[in-house]
Amino acid sequence: MIYQSIDDINEYSTLRLILGDQLNANHSWYKQQTDNCLYLIAELPQEISYVKHHIQKICAFFSAMDNFAHALSISNHHVLYLTLDQTHEYPSLEHLIRRVISKASIEKFEYQTPDEYRLKNQIETFELGKKLQVKNCDSEHFYLRTEEFKQYIKPNKHNRLESFYRKLRRRYSILMDGDGPIGGQWNYDKANRNKLKVEDLKTIPRPLIFRNNVEKYKARIDKYNFNYFGEIEANIVWPTTRKQALELLDFFCENCLQLFGKFQDAMTENSDFSWALYHSRLSFALNTKMISPQLVIKKAIETFENSSTIELAQIEGFVRQILGWREYIRAVYWQNMPDYSQLNYFKTKKELPSYFWSAKTKMNCMAQTIKQSLKYAYAHHIQRLMITGNFALLSGINIAEIEQWYLGIYIDAIEWVELPNTLGMSQFADGGLIATKPYSASGNYINNMSDYCKSCHYQIKEKETDNACPFNSLYWHFLDRHKDQLGQSPRLSLAYRNWNNKDSNQQKALLKRADYLLNNIEDL
């Protein structure tokens, strides 16, 4: 049974809340049907407006929630599915919950622990009446439960990803041979940094895309004048059902996994499939919990074990992304919140340039990455880290502004994963709790990993001239202005040695060029 209005619901003893990123069909909640339990899934105004979102992101969540609500109903669960037409008049989730509890004479309220501190704190401070029983439970999605974080991550200090990753490999016996890694090596990251050559562009697989119509969701968003940005058509390419998510997983394993690791850091503008390449594009499905990390890793390893063409470096690189990085980032987030969100190690203040919203910049790498992000609500991790992130870091962009941009623009961005990736990994605003050095680079890195520089307005080989790649002088300016904070870092000793070996005239020319760029950042 599915209700689409609060006024229509009958009396129930238990109300269970399902948030938009809790679409886990295998959760123990659904093992049994009961006539006394009502599930609430709702399009919430507060979730549209707490940050300015890409329109595809909002519509994808609403579509996935809609599909999940109807799937529960088909499985004989009782569901209250509310659209903006019913929820727009409620100022917050708490007000909505109170109304449902009152109308249905609810005695017990249950919820899965939210993955965002913002929502967890909000729900825990609900005032729903002393007689109401309140119970929270695990989302049953991740490898690590929240109470286990302290065993792996110490707050307010750097915790090595590699150590964390190896512990989880051992604990869950993933790609292991006894107590050691299969193949004798834990990490094949150095084999995962290949640039796409011209001949490689011809073999990039056509990505599997879906045509999920989202016109009705966008119409409601427009009807109530919610603010958003980004491009959208009648149909979006992202999976919004578990069935589609499983199809995308199968497609990745069969068509992309064999070269995923090799080209996971590569970037190109010279393919119709530049936006997808060999990436799984499963992050939205994973972060909404339509599929689990355990299932994804199991399927990928089975494909590897039954293949004669997938090398160990490819599967290890993929497993490291999910078992290692994804679980690590989540644990760091929860072990350091809420103070973590306020960190700003470099005390950055500069406003985010307008081309982050339009892609209208002469820097081709930035234009390509932002244009793709606006079109698909997606960019892969190196585009985020070493193009837009690197530019924001070198330019000293206000950490709050760049963090909100990342949170809003990407379809897979939920704060638990986005905040540590942006504030810690990309911007080094946590002073080294995640990364042991800032991920800063000149234009040489971008040229080594992409073909963006070949058609750029700026010249990659020039450093100080008016046509010089902005990344080149900004890189040295960044190191120079933060030498008191970074100069003693062992991982930056070579970079500072190179800077100190430049003659004073060259240093002055580089700093002068960078000062001009920073003062005219909107014109780049």
Side-chain angles (χ1 to χ4, degrees), residues 1-15 35 37-41 78-82 86 90 96-106:
M1 176 183 291
I2 189 162
Y3 302 99
Q4 295 188 315
S5 171
I6 297 176
D7 294 334
D8 296 336
I9 59 178
N10 298 321
E11 290 189 0
Y12 290 89
S13 62
T14 300
L15 175 67
D35 291 337
C37 180
L38 178 66
Y39 291 94
L40 171 62
I41 300 177
H78 296 230
V79 182
L80 173 58
Y81 169 62
L82 301 177
Q86 290 78 44
Y90 295 94
L96 177 63
I97 295 291
R98 283 182 190 170
R99 172 72 177 118
V100 176
I101 286 173
S102 174
K103 181 65 173 65
S105 301
I106 297 295

Side-chain angles (χ1 to χ4, degrees), residues 33-147:
Q33 290 88 22
T34 172
D35 291 337
N36 293 320
C37 180
L38 178 66
Y39 291 94
L40 171 62
I41 300 177
E43 298 176 357
L44 298 171
Q46 69 169 48
E47 296 306 290
I48 305 175
S49 56
Y50 75 91
V51 71
K52 186 179 179 182
H53 292 288
H54 196 298
I55 182 59
Q56 285 189 47
K57 180 182 180 184
I58 305 172
C59 289
F61 269 92
F62 282 5
S63 176
M65 291 158 61
D66 188 352
N67 290 327
F68 190 72
H70 284 85
L72 284 181
S73 177
I74 292 170
S75 298
N76 297 317
H77 294 288
H78 296 230
V79 182
L80 173 58
Y81 169 62
L82 301 177
T83 72
L84 289 175
D85 287 331
Q86 290 78 44
T87 64
H88 72 277
E89 61 189 47
Y90 295 94
S92 72
L93 174 59
E94 181 177 353
H95 288 82
L96 177 63
I97 295 291
R98 283 182 190 170
R99 172 72 177 118
V100 176
I101 286 173
S102 174
K103 181 65 173 65
S105 301
I106 297 295
E107 299 172 357
K108 181 188 292 186
F109 172 60
E110 298 183 351
Y111 66 96
Q112 297 173 32
T113 302
D115 289 317
E116 289 188 317
Y117 179 86
R118 169 184 64 88
L119 280 167
K120 181 175 182 291
N121 185 61
Q122 181 186 18
I123 294 176
E124 287 178 346
T125 56
F126 278 177
E127 295 182 1
L128 302 177
K130 294 181 179 179
K131 293 184 179 180
L132 188 78
Q133 298 178 53
V134 178
K135 178 183 178 182
N136 77 300
C137 62
D138 192 80
S139 65
E140 302 176 10
H141 171 79
F142 296 94
Y143 278 92
L144 292 183
R145 296 172 65 93
T146 53
E147 61 267 22

Side-chain angles (χ1 to χ4, degrees), residues 128-194:
L128 302 177
K130 294 181 179 179
K131 293 184 179 180
L132 188 78
Q133 298 178 53
V134 178
K135 178 183 178 182
N136 77 300
C137 62
D138 192 80
S139 65
E140 302 176 10
H141 171 79
F142 296 94
Y143 278 92
L144 292 183
R145 296 172 65 93
T146 53
E147 61 267 22
E148 297 180 303
F149 292 156
K150 60 181 178 292
Q151 301 174 31
Y152 294 87
I153 298 293
K154 294 181 179 179
N156 302 313
K157 66 173 294 183
H158 174 71
N159 297 265
R160 289 186 69 237
L161 166 65
E162 186 64 23
S163 299
F164 176 93
Y165 172 52
R166 293 183 186 187
K167 288 177 183 177
L168 263 62
R169 285 267 298 271
R170 286 193 177 100
R171 174 176 172 178
Y172 296 103
S173 210
I174 294 175
L175 296 179
M176 297 295 293
D177 181 10
D179 195 46
I182 62 172
Q185 187 173 326
W186 286 99
N187 188 311
Y188 290 83
D189 185 50
K190 291 182 180 179
N192 299 158
R193 304 171 185 173
N194 294 69

